[in-house]
Amino acid sequence: MKAETSGGRAPSLANQIYARLKQDIFDFRLLPGDRITESQIAEQMGASRTPVREALLRLQRESYVDVLFRNGWQVKPFDFRYFEELYDIRIALECTAVEHLCQHTSDTDTLAILQQLKQQWSLPATGRTTDGPATCAMDETFHGQLVAAAGNREMARIHQDLTERLRIVRRLDFTQPARIDTTYDEHSAILLAIEEGRAADAKQHLQNHIVSSRQAVRTITLHMLQDARTRSQNTTEHTAT
């Protein structure tokens, strides 16, 4: 496993194991419901159980795995109701932030944020990125900046936590080119409504944007899970023969 560096320092072994396991969960190499043990992971990673346990405890805090009493760990089964609830909270927070921004469109800070976001999103088709992961990161920043601009630090903290928890499904929205283009169009409409102080329209655009994304990622997630389970089953049957 290749270590990444930050500021010239290599991350700890626990951080490396955490990143590897999290990516395996994101890419469905570890499927929802799969059971794993510290010894199994330690052997695969060429590490002792201590950094493995640290990595798993961090993933547990982020709701990616559950600990099984005297029976190792389990990748958290997919609970779409849980994600629906997170999306509902996200809509409430972001609509509150957008309403605040619409009431302060003449503020210097608000104008600066809007101008910056318009330069990224209010673009013709030829100026748009088609890179899914890059768009996902930009999308997270877009929504995070809208909430942060409202000035409520606790609301921004809660929103960041929601972003982390939703990333496992939300990133899938940017695996299809049509969805990337739609994101640009919808973000541009949100920004225009905020700029013109049309709070009701801005909140409606925002809610429609999040709901359509939620529906898309549910469909894509179910499809990818089915494909991953089929591949896993085929691999198991091939190994058995």
Side-chain angles (χ1 to χ4, degrees):
M1 179 171 47
K2 184 178 180 180
E4 297 178 358
T5 59
S6 177
R9 297 181 59 189
S12 71
L13 184 56
N15 284 341
Q16 293 181 58
I17 295 171
Y18 158 83
R20 170 72 175 274
L21 291 174
K22 189 172 184 179
Q23 196 61 50
D24 285 347
I25 292 170
F26 274 29
D27 292 339
F28 300 119
R29 288 188 290 269
L30 284 173
L31 292 171
D34 278 357
R35 295 190 176 191
I36 51 180
T37 66
E38 293 174 12
S39 297
Q40 172 191 1
I41 297 170
E43 182 177 355
Q44 291 175 351
M45 303 288 188
S48 68
R49 291 178 60 180
T50 298
V52 170
R53 187 177 302 113
E54 291 178 19
L56 287 168
L57 286 171
R58 183 175 173 186
L59 289 167
Q60 182 189 30
R61 288 194 296 271
E62 295 178 1
S63 299
Y64 291 114
V65 300
D66 291 321
V67 63
L68 302 176
F69 182 65
R70 294 182 179 177
N71 198 24
W73 299 76
Q74 182 182 43
V75 179
K76 199 173 185 70
F78 248 83
D79 182 354
F80 280 107
R81 180 178 178 183
Y82 166 74
F83 290 116
E84 293 276 342
E85 290 170 349
L86 294 183
Y87 270 108
D88 286 342
I89 298 170
R90 184 186 156 203
I91 289 171
L93 288 177
E94 293 190 26
C95 282
T96 298
V98 162
E99 183 168 13
H100 174 87
L101 293 177
C102 286
Q103 295 169 355
H104 296 82
T105 53
S106 60
D107 290 359
T108 302
D109 290 344
T110 300
L111 288 171
I113 288 293
L114 291 177
Q115 186 59 34
Q116 178 186 349
L117 293 176
K118 283 175 64 180
Q119 290 175 355
Q120 294 175 330
W121 294 102
S122 299
L123 300 172
T126 54
R128 300 175 177 182
T129 182
T130 57
D131 181 84
T135 308
C136 181
M138 288 169 56
D139 177 72
E140 287 189 4
T141 300
F142 171 84
H143 292 277
Q145 285 182 302
L146 288 182
V147 174
N152 186 314
R153 291 176 295 178
E154 187 63 15
M155 186 165 71
R157 184 194 66 78
I158 294 171
H159 185 268
Q160 181 57 40
D161 180 64
L162 289 173
T163 298
E164 293 286 344
R165 292 174 183 269
L166 283 168
R167 186 173 293 136
I168 188 172
V169 293
R170 185 174 169 187
R171 69 196 172 89
L172 299 176
D173 195 22
F174 306 101
T175 58
Q176 300 179 347
R179 289 296 305 158
I180 293 177
D181 273 338
T182 297
T183 298
Y184 272 93
D185 293 339
E186 292 174 346
H187 282 189
S188 183
I190 293 166
L191 291 171
L192 179 60
I194 295 174
E195 187 177 41
E196 295 178 351
R198 294 182 285 112
D201 289 341
K203 289 191 291 183
Q204 189 62 59
H205 283 311
L206 178 65
Q207 182 168 339
N208 291 344
H209 167 61
I210 296 175
V211 168
S212 64
S213 175
R214 178 173 64 186
Q215 293 170 341
V217 299
R218 182 185 178 99
T219 300
I220 296 168
T221 301
L222 288 171
H223 178 72
M224 293 186 70
L225 277 173
Q226 183 59 44
D227 281 352
R229 289 193 177 105
T230 300
R231 288 196 303 270
S232 178
Q233 182 179 2
N234 290 340
T235 300
T236 300
E237 290 175 352
H238 178 73
T239 302
T241 58

PDB file of all heavy atoms in Angstrom, residues 100-134:
ATOM      1  N   HIS A 100     -30.934  33.219   4.360  1.00  0.00           N
ATOM      2  CA  HIS A 100     -30.099  34.256   4.981  1.00  0.00           C
ATOM      3  C   HIS A 100     -29.320  35.026   3.918  1.00  0.00           C
ATOM      4  O   HIS A 100     -29.260  36.265   3.961  1.00  0.00           O
ATOM      5  CB  HIS A 100     -29.129  33.607   5.976  1.00  0.00           C
ATOM      6  CG  HIS A 100     -28.129  34.568   6.551  1.00  0.00           C
ATOM      7  ND1 HIS A 100     -28.383  35.332   7.668  1.00  0.00           N
ATOM      8  CD2 HIS A 100     -26.864  34.911   6.139  1.00  0.00           C
ATOM      9  CE1 HIS A 100     -27.333  36.098   7.927  1.00  0.00           C
ATOM     10  NE2 HIS A 100     -26.399  35.857   7.017  1.00  0.00           N
ATOM     11  N   LEU A 101     -28.746  34.308   2.968  1.00  0.00           N
ATOM     12  CA  LEU A 101     -27.965  34.960   1.922  1.00  0.00           C
ATOM     13  C   LEU A 101     -28.828  35.891   1.078  1.00  0.00           C
ATOM     14  O   LEU A 101     -28.387  36.978   0.678  1.00  0.00           O
ATOM     15  CB  LEU A 101     -27.289  33.917   1.035  1.00  0.00           C
ATOM     16  CG  LEU A 101     -26.197  33.066   1.697  1.00  0.00           C
ATOM     17  CD1 LEU A 101     -25.659  32.034   0.721  1.00  0.00           C
ATOM     18  CD2 LEU A 101     -25.073  33.940   2.222  1.00  0.00           C
ATOM     19  N   CYS A 102     -30.055  35.463   0.792  1.00  0.00           N
ATOM     20  CA  CYS A 102     -30.960  36.298  -0.010  1.00  0.00           C
ATOM     21  C   CYS A 102     -31.306  37.604   0.710  1.00  0.00           C
ATOM     22  O   CYS A 102     -31.612  38.615   0.067  1.00  0.00           O
ATOM     23  CB  CYS A 102     -32.246  35.528  -0.324  1.00  0.00           C
ATOM     24  SG  CYS A 102     -32.039  34.238  -1.571  1.00  0.00           S
ATOM     25  N   GLN A 103     -31.239  37.597   2.026  1.00  0.00           N
ATOM     26  CA  GLN A 103     -31.536  38.790   2.809  1.00  0.00           C
ATOM     27  C   GLN A 103     -30.319  39.694   2.980  1.00  0.00           C
ATOM     28  O   GLN A 103     -30.430  40.797   3.517  1.00  0.00           O
ATOM     29  CB  GLN A 103     -32.074  38.388   4.190  1.00  0.00           C
ATOM     30  CG  GLN A 103     -33.413  37.665   4.141  1.00  0.00           C
ATOM     31  CD  GLN A 103     -33.794  37.058   5.478  1.00  0.00           C
ATOM     32  OE1 GLN A 103     -33.019  37.088   6.441  1.00  0.00           O
ATOM     33  NE2 GLN A 103     -34.999  36.495   5.552  1.00  0.00           N
ATOM     34  N   HIS A 104     -29.157  39.208   2.514  1.00  0.00           N
ATOM     35  CA  HIS A 104     -27.922  39.978   2.700  1.00  0.00           C
ATOM     36  C   HIS A 104     -27.121  40.038   1.390  1.00  0.00           C
ATOM     37  O   HIS A 104     -25.896  39.954   1.388  1.00  0.00           O
ATOM     38  CB  HIS A 104     -27.064  39.347   3.808  1.00  0.00           C
ATOM     39  CG  HIS A 104     -27.700  39.382   5.157  1.00  0.00           C
ATOM     40  ND1 HIS A 104     -28.638  38.450   5.556  1.00  0.00           N
ATOM     41  CD2 HIS A 104     -27.543  40.239   6.203  1.00  0.00           C
ATOM     42  CE1 HIS A 104     -29.026  38.729   6.791  1.00  0.00           C
ATOM     43  NE2 HIS A 104     -28.385  39.804   7.209  1.00  0.00           N
ATOM     44  N   THR A 105     -27.824  40.182   0.290  1.00  0.00           N
ATOM     45  CA  THR A 105     -27.151  40.163  -1.018  1.00  0.00           C
ATOM     46  C   THR A 105     -26.247  41.377  -1.239  1.00  0.00           C
ATOM     47  O   THR A 105     -25.385  41.352  -2.118  1.00  0.00           O
ATOM     48  CB  THR A 105     -28.194  40.113  -2.155  1.00  0.00           C
ATOM     49  OG1 THR A 105     -29.137  41.188  -1.984  1.00  0.00           O
ATOM     50  CG2 THR A 105     -28.927  38.782  -2.155  1.00  0.00           C
ATOM     51  N   SER A 106     -26.434  42.443  -0.453  1.00  0.00           N
ATOM     52  CA  SER A 106     -25.589  43.632  -0.621  1.00  0.00           C
ATOM     53  C   SER A 106     -24.348  43.588   0.265  1.00  0.00           C
ATOM     54  O   SER A 106     -23.474  44.447   0.142  1.00  0.00           O
ATOM     55  CB  SER A 106     -26.394  44.901  -0.305  1.00  0.00           C
ATOM     56  OG  SER A 106     -26.868  44.874   1.031  1.00  0.00           O
ATOM     57  N   ASP A 107     -24.258  42.581   1.136  1.00  0.00           N
ATOM     58  CA  ASP A 107     -23.086  42.468   2.008  1.00  0.00           C
ATOM     59  C   ASP A 107     -21.845  42.117   1.187  1.00  0.00           C
ATOM     60  O   ASP A 107     -21.908  41.311   0.247  1.00  0.00           O
ATOM     61  CB  ASP A 107     -23.306  41.386   3.072  1.00  0.00           C
ATOM     62  CG  ASP A 107     -24.348  41.796   4.105  1.00  0.00           C
ATOM     63  OD1 ASP A 107     -24.874  42.918   3.992  1.00  0.00           O
ATOM     64  OD2 ASP A 107     -24.623  40.986   5.011  1.00  0.00           O
ATOM     65  N   THR A 108     -20.738  42.688   1.548  1.00  0.00           N
ATOM     66  CA  THR A 108     -19.490  42.461   0.814  1.00  0.00           C
ATOM     67  C   THR A 108     -19.105  40.984   0.790  1.00  0.00           C
ATOM     68  O   THR A 108     -18.715  40.448  -0.261  1.00  0.00           O
ATOM     69  CB  THR A 108     -18.340  43.272   1.445  1.00  0.00           C
ATOM     70  OG1 THR A 108     -18.683  44.660   1.439  1.00  0.00           O
ATOM     71  CG2 THR A 108     -17.042  43.063   0.676  1.00  0.00           C
ATOM     72  N   ASP A 109     -19.208  40.315   1.936  1.00  0.00           N
ATOM     73  CA  ASP A 109     -18.831  38.901   2.017  1.00  0.00           C
ATOM     74  C   ASP A 109     -19.738  38.042   1.143  1.00  0.00           C
ATOM     75  O   ASP A 109     -19.266  37.130   0.450  1.00  0.00           O
ATOM     76  CB  ASP A 109     -18.897  38.416   3.466  1.00  0.00           C
ATOM     77  CG  ASP A 109     -17.795  39.007   4.329  1.00  0.00           C
ATOM     78  OD1 ASP A 109     -16.828  39.536   3.753  1.00  0.00           O
ATOM     79  OD2 ASP A 109     -17.914  38.937   5.566  1.00  0.00           O
ATOM     80  N   THR A 110     -21.043  38.332   1.163  1.00  0.00           N
ATOM     81  CA  THR A 110     -21.988  37.563   0.348  1.00  0.00           C
ATOM     82  C   THR A 110     -21.698  37.756  -1.132  1.00  0.00           C
ATOM     83  O   THR A 110     -21.682  36.800  -1.908  1.00  0.00           O
ATOM     84  CB  THR A 110     -23.440  37.988   0.649  1.00  0.00           C
ATOM     85  OG1 THR A 110     -23.727  37.747   2.030  1.00  0.00           O
ATOM     86  CG2 THR A 110     -24.420  37.194  -0.200  1.00  0.00           C
ATOM     87  N   LEU A 111     -21.450  38.992  -1.525  1.00  0.00           N
ATOM     88  CA  LEU A 111     -21.150  39.281  -2.923  1.00  0.00           C
ATOM     89  C   LEU A 111     -19.881  38.554  -3.382  1.00  0.00           C
ATOM     90  O   LEU A 111     -19.821  38.035  -4.500  1.00  0.00           O
ATOM     91  CB  LEU A 111     -20.977  40.790  -3.120  1.00  0.00           C
ATOM     92  CG  LEU A 111     -22.261  41.638  -3.037  1.00  0.00           C
ATOM     93  CD1 LEU A 111     -21.917  43.128  -3.032  1.00  0.00           C
ATOM     94  CD2 LEU A 111     -23.172  41.311  -4.213  1.00  0.00           C
ATOM     95  N   ALA A 112     -18.892  38.510  -2.506  1.00  0.00           N
ATOM     96  CA  ALA A 112     -17.630  37.852  -2.854  1.00  0.00           C
ATOM     97  C   ALA A 112     -17.831  36.349  -3.049  1.00  0.00           C
ATOM     98  O   ALA A 112     -17.299  35.752  -3.997  1.00  0.00           O
ATOM     99  CB  ALA A 112     -16.590  38.105  -1.763  1.00  0.00           C
ATOM    100  N   ILE A 113     -18.606  35.730  -2.148  1.00  0.00           N
ATOM    101  CA  ILE A 113     -18.880  34.293  -2.261  1.00  0.00           C
ATOM    102  C   ILE A 113     -19.654  33.996  -3.536  1.00  0.00           C
ATOM    103  O   ILE A 113     -19.337  33.058  -4.281  1.00  0.00           O
ATOM    104  CB  ILE A 113     -19.684  33.797  -1.038  1.00  0.00           C
ATOM    105  CG1 ILE A 113     -18.798  33.763   0.209  1.00  0.00           C
ATOM    106  CG2 ILE A 113     -20.262  32.411  -1.295  1.00  0.00           C
ATOM    107  CD1 ILE A 113     -17.695  32.719   0.152  1.00  0.00           C
ATOM    108  N   LEU A 114     -20.682  34.797  -3.818  1.00  0.00           N
ATOM    109  CA  LEU A 114     -21.491  34.580  -5.012  1.00  0.00           C
ATOM    110  C   LEU A 114     -20.653  34.724  -6.281  1.00  0.00           C
ATOM    111  O   LEU A 114     -20.788  33.937  -7.218  1.00  0.00           O
ATOM    112  CB  LEU A 114     -22.660  35.565  -5.040  1.00  0.00           C
ATOM    113  CG  LEU A 114     -23.751  35.346  -3.986  1.00  0.00           C
ATOM    114  CD1 LEU A 114     -24.806  36.453  -4.082  1.00  0.00           C
ATOM    115  CD2 LEU A 114     -24.406  33.986  -4.151  1.00  0.00           C
ATOM    116  N   GLN A 115     -19.786  35.729  -6.302  1.00  0.00           N
ATOM    117  CA  GLN A 115     -18.946  35.945  -7.478  1.00  0.00           C
ATOM    118  C   GLN A 115     -17.994  34.771  -7.690  1.00  0.00           C
ATOM    119  O   GLN A 115     -17.801  34.303  -8.819  1.00  0.00           O
ATOM    120  CB  GLN A 115     -18.147  37.244  -7.311  1.00  0.00           C
ATOM    121  CG  GLN A 115     -17.332  37.641  -8.541  1.00  0.00           C
ATOM    122  CD  GLN A 115     -18.189  37.836  -9.784  1.00  0.00           C
ATOM    123  OE1 GLN A 115     -19.328  38.290  -9.695  1.00  0.00           O
ATOM    124  NE2 GLN A 115     -17.657  37.479 -10.943  1.00  0.00           N
ATOM    125  N   GLN A 116     -17.414  34.304  -6.611  1.00  0.00           N
ATOM    126  CA  GLN A 116     -16.496  33.165  -6.699  1.00  0.00           C
ATOM    127  C   GLN A 116     -17.203  31.919  -7.218  1.00  0.00           C
ATOM    128  O   GLN A 116     -16.697  31.209  -8.098  1.00  0.00           O
ATOM    129  CB  GLN A 116     -15.895  32.882  -5.326  1.00  0.00           C
ATOM    130  CG  GLN A 116     -14.963  31.670  -5.296  1.00  0.00           C
ATOM    131  CD  GLN A 116     -14.510  31.331  -3.890  1.00  0.00           C
ATOM    132  OE1 GLN A 116     -14.713  32.097  -2.949  1.00  0.00           O
ATOM    133  NE2 GLN A 116     -13.904  30.170  -3.729  1.00  0.00           N
ATOM    134  N   LEU A 117     -18.404  31.641  -6.686  1.00  0.00           N
ATOM    135  CA  LEU A 117     -19.147  30.451  -7.088  1.00  0.00           C
ATOM    136  C   LEU A 117     -19.653  30.568  -8.524  1.00  0.00           C
ATOM    137  O   LEU A 117     -19.679  29.581  -9.266  1.00  0.00           O
ATOM    138  CB  LEU A 117     -20.308  30.204  -6.121  1.00  0.00           C
ATOM    139  CG  LEU A 117     -19.894  29.815  -4.700  1.00  0.00           C
ATOM    140  CD1 LEU A 117     -21.123  29.695  -3.792  1.00  0.00           C
ATOM    141  CD2 LEU A 117     -19.121  28.493  -4.699  1.00  0.00           C
ATOM    142  N   LYS A 118     -20.044  31.776  -8.936  1.00  0.00           N
ATOM    143  CA  LYS A 118     -20.496  31.964 -10.316  1.00  0.00           C
ATOM    144  C   LYS A 118     -19.373  31.698 -11.313  1.00  0.00           C
ATOM    145  O   LYS A 118     -19.605  31.152 -12.393  1.00  0.00           O
ATOM    146  CB  LYS A 118     -21.043  33.386 -10.501  1.00  0.00           C
ATOM    147  CG  LYS A 118     -22.437  33.594  -9.919  1.00  0.00           C
ATOM    148  CD  LYS A 118     -22.868  35.040 -10.035  1.00  0.00           C
ATOM    149  CE  LYS A 118     -22.998  35.462 -11.482  1.00  0.00           C
ATOM    150  NZ  LYS A 118     -23.423  36.873 -11.621  1.00  0.00           N
ATOM    151  N   GLN A 119     -18.145  32.062 -10.950  1.00  0.00           N
ATOM    152  CA  GLN A 119     -17.008  31.815 -11.826  1.00  0.00           C
ATOM    153  C   GLN A 119     -16.764  30.320 -12.024  1.00  0.00           C
ATOM    154  O   GLN A 119     -16.230  29.902 -13.050  1.00  0.00           O
ATOM    155  CB  GLN A 119     -15.755  32.487 -11.255  1.00  0.00           C
ATOM    156  CG  GLN A 119     -15.786  34.008 -11.339  1.00  0.00           C
ATOM    157  CD  GLN A 119     -14.593  34.650 -10.648  1.00  0.00           C
ATOM    158  OE1 GLN A 119     -13.776  33.969 -10.022  1.00  0.00           O
ATOM    159  NE2 GLN A 119     -14.486  35.964 -10.755  1.00  0.00           N
ATOM    160  N   GLN A 120     -17.176  29.515 -11.043  1.00  0.00           N
ATOM    161  CA  GLN A 120     -16.977  28.069 -11.118  1.00  0.00           C
ATOM    162  C   GLN A 120     -18.134  27.349 -11.795  1.00  0.00           C
ATOM    163  O   GLN A 120     -17.919  26.326 -12.461  1.00  0.00           O
ATOM    164  CB  GLN A 120     -16.788  27.488  -9.708  1.00  0.00           C
ATOM    165  CG  GLN A 120     -15.512  27.944  -9.019  1.00  0.00           C
ATOM    166  CD  GLN A 120     -15.428  27.436  -7.591  1.00  0.00           C
ATOM    167  OE1 GLN A 120     -16.448  27.245  -6.925  1.00  0.00           O
ATOM    168  NE2 GLN A 120     -14.223  27.213  -7.108  1.00  0.00           N
ATOM    169  N   TRP A 121     -19.361  27.877 -11.623  1.00  0.00           N
ATOM    170  CA  TRP A 121     -20.538  27.111 -12.032  1.00  0.00           C
ATOM    171  C   TRP A 121     -21.357  27.740 -13.157  1.00  0.00           C
ATOM    172  O   TRP A 121     -22.020  27.008 -13.903  1.00  0.00           O
ATOM    173  CB  TRP A 121     -21.437  26.885 -10.818  1.00  0.00           C
ATOM    174  CG  TRP A 121     -20.797  26.015  -9.789  1.00  0.00           C
ATOM    175  CD1 TRP A 121     -20.215  26.416  -8.612  1.00  0.00           C
ATOM    176  CD2 TRP A 121     -20.629  24.601  -9.841  1.00  0.00           C
ATOM    177  NE1 TRP A 121     -19.712  25.336  -7.943  1.00  0.00           N
ATOM    178  CE2 TRP A 121     -19.957  24.211  -8.664  1.00  0.00           C
ATOM    179  CE3 TRP A 121     -21.000  23.621 -10.772  1.00  0.00           C
ATOM    180  CZ2 TRP A 121     -19.641  22.883  -8.400  1.00  0.00           C
ATOM    181  CZ3 TRP A 121     -20.691  22.290 -10.501  1.00  0.00           C
ATOM    182  CH2 TRP A 121     -20.024  21.933  -9.335  1.00  0.00           C
ATOM    183  N   SER A 122     -21.365  29.031 -13.296  1.00  0.00           N
ATOM    184  CA  SER A 122     -22.160  29.677 -14.347  1.00  0.00           C
ATOM    185  C   SER A 122     -21.329  29.745 -15.619  1.00  0.00           C
ATOM    186  O   SER A 122     -20.869  30.810 -16.050  1.00  0.00           O
ATOM    187  CB  SER A 122     -22.613  31.066 -13.894  1.00  0.00           C
ATOM    188  OG  SER A 122     -23.419  30.969 -12.738  1.00  0.00           O
ATOM    189  N   LEU A 123     -21.133  28.572 -16.219  1.00  0.00           N
ATOM    190  CA  LEU A 123     -20.234  28.434 -17.358  1.00  0.00           C
ATOM    191  C   LEU A 123     -20.949  27.789 -18.542  1.00  0.00           C
ATOM    192  O   LEU A 123     -21.877  26.998 -18.356  1.00  0.00           O
ATOM    193  CB  LEU A 123     -19.034  27.544 -16.979  1.00  0.00           C
ATOM    194  CG  LEU A 123     -18.144  28.005 -15.819  1.00  0.00           C
ATOM    195  CD1 LEU A 123     -17.151  26.904 -15.471  1.00  0.00           C
ATOM    196  CD2 LEU A 123     -17.420  29.285 -16.193  1.00  0.00           C
ATOM    197  N   PRO A 124     -20.488  28.105 -19.769  1.00  0.00           N
ATOM    198  CA  PRO A 124     -21.006  27.383 -20.940  1.00  0.00           C
ATOM    199  C   PRO A 124     -20.486  25.948 -20.928  1.00  0.00           C
ATOM    200  O   PRO A 124     -19.547  25.614 -20.196  1.00  0.00           O
ATOM    201  CB  PRO A 124     -20.434  28.169 -22.119  1.00  0.00           C
ATOM    202  CG  PRO A 124     -19.179  28.781 -21.574  1.00  0.00           C
ATOM    203  CD  PRO A 124     -19.488  29.116 -20.138  1.00  0.00           C
ATOM    204  N   ALA A 125     -21.091  25.110 -21.747  1.00  0.00           N
ATOM    205  CA  ALA A 125     -20.725  23.692 -21.764  1.00  0.00           C
ATOM    206  C   ALA A 125     -19.238  23.480 -22.028  1.00  0.00           C
ATOM    207  O   ALA A 125     -18.621  22.564 -21.470  1.00  0.00           O
ATOM    208  CB  ALA A 125     -21.554  22.952 -22.808  1.00  0.00           C
ATOM    209  N   THR A 126     -18.642  24.320 -22.863  1.00  0.00           N
ATOM    210  CA  THR A 126     -17.228  24.143 -23.218  1.00  0.00           C
ATOM    211  C   THR A 126     -16.285  24.442 -22.061  1.00  0.00           C
ATOM    212  O   THR A 126     -15.122  24.025 -22.086  1.00  0.00           O
ATOM    213  CB  THR A 126     -16.862  25.055 -24.399  1.00  0.00           C
ATOM    214  OG1 THR A 126     -17.233  26.419 -24.074  1.00  0.00           O
ATOM    215  CG2 THR A 126     -17.594  24.622 -25.663  1.00  0.00           C
ATOM    216  N   GLY A 127     -16.772  25.145 -21.051  1.00  0.00           N
ATOM    217  CA  GLY A 127     -15.916  25.507 -19.923  1.00  0.00           C
ATOM    218  C   GLY A 127     -16.078  24.613 -18.718  1.00  0.00           C
ATOM    219  O   GLY A 127     -15.433  24.838 -17.684  1.00  0.00           O
ATOM    220  N   ARG A 128     -16.910  23.598 -18.828  1.00  0.00           N
ATOM    221  CA  ARG A 128     -17.221  22.734 -17.697  1.00  0.00           C
ATOM    222  C   ARG A 128     -16.306  21.505 -17.649  1.00  0.00           C
ATOM    223  O   ARG A 128     -15.918  20.990 -18.680  1.00  0.00           O
ATOM    224  CB  ARG A 128     -18.682  22.263 -17.776  1.00  0.00           C
ATOM    225  CG  ARG A 128     -19.685  23.393 -17.759  1.00  0.00           C
ATOM    226  CD  ARG A 128     -21.098  22.883 -17.968  1.00  0.00           C
ATOM    227  NE  ARG A 128     -22.078  23.966 -17.885  1.00  0.00           N
ATOM    228  CZ  ARG A 128     -23.392  23.789 -17.991  1.00  0.00           C
ATOM    229  NH1 ARG A 128     -23.884  22.573 -18.207  1.00  0.00           N
ATOM    230  NH2 ARG A 128     -24.211  24.825 -17.893  1.00  0.00           N
ATOM    231  N   THR A 129     -15.988  21.070 -16.452  1.00  0.00           N
ATOM    232  CA  THR A 129     -15.214  19.848 -16.315  1.00  0.00           C
ATOM    233  C   THR A 129     -16.129  18.642 -16.520  1.00  0.00           C
ATOM    234  O   THR A 129     -17.336  18.714 -16.259  1.00  0.00           O
ATOM    235  CB  THR A 129     -14.550  19.747 -14.932  1.00  0.00           C
ATOM    236  OG1 THR A 129     -13.765  18.537 -14.879  1.00  0.00           O
ATOM    237  CG2 THR A 129     -15.585  19.685 -13.811  1.00  0.00           C
ATOM    238  N   THR A 130     -15.558  17.560 -17.005  1.00  0.00           N
ATOM    239  CA  THR A 130     -16.314  16.307 -17.156  1.00  0.00           C
ATOM    240  C   THR A 130     -15.779  15.247 -16.210  1.00  0.00           C
ATOM    241  O   THR A 130     -16.202  14.101 -16.272  1.00  0.00           O
ATOM    242  CB  THR A 130     -16.211  15.789 -18.605  1.00  0.00           C
ATOM    243  OG1 THR A 130     -14.825  15.605 -18.950  1.00  0.00           O
ATOM    244  CG2 THR A 130     -16.840  16.764 -19.580  1.00  0.00           C
ATOM    245  N   ASP A 131     -14.862  15.633 -15.342  1.00  0.00           N
ATOM    246  CA  ASP A 131     -14.246  14.705 -14.400  1.00  0.00           C
ATOM    247  C   ASP A 131     -15.159  14.509 -13.190  1.00  0.00           C
ATOM    248  O   ASP A 131     -15.445  15.465 -12.460  1.00  0.00           O
ATOM    249  CB  ASP A 131     -12.884  15.237 -13.966  1.00  0.00           C
ATOM    250  CG  ASP A 131     -12.179  14.296 -13.004  1.00  0.00           C
ATOM    251  OD1 ASP A 131     -11.530  13.341 -13.490  1.00  0.00           O
ATOM    252  OD2 ASP A 131     -12.291  14.485 -11.792  1.00  0.00           O
ATOM    253  N   GLY A 132     -15.619  13.273 -12.983  1.00  0.00           N
ATOM    254  CA  GLY A 132     -16.566  12.989 -11.913  1.00  0.00           C
ATOM    255  C   GLY A 132     -16.049  13.306 -10.524  1.00  0.00           C
ATOM    256  O   GLY A 132     -16.690  14.059  -9.769  1.00  0.00           O
ATOM    257  N   PRO A 133     -14.893  12.746 -10.107  1.00  0.00           N
ATOM    258  CA  PRO A 133     -14.378  13.036  -8.769  1.00  0.00           C
ATOM    259  C   PRO A 133     -14.121  14.517  -8.532  1.00  0.00           C
ATOM    260  O   PRO A 133     -14.378  15.034  -7.443  1.00  0.00           O
ATOM    261  CB  PRO A 133     -13.084  12.218  -8.720  1.00  0.00           C
ATOM    262  CG  PRO A 133     -13.316  11.088  -9.662  1.00  0.00           C
ATOM    263  CD  PRO A 133     -14.127  11.672 -10.780  1.00  0.00           C
ATOM    264  N   ALA A 134     -13.633  15.216  -9.568  1.00  0.00           N
ATOM    265  CA  ALA A 134     -13.384  16.650  -9.418  1.00  0.00           C
ATOM    266  C   ALA A 134     -14.693  17.403  -9.220  1.00  0.00           C
ATOM    267  O   ALA A 134     -14.778  18.308  -8.381  1.00  0.00           O
ATOM    268  CB  ALA A 134     -12.651  17.189 -10.648  1.00  0.00           C
TER     269      ALA A 134
END
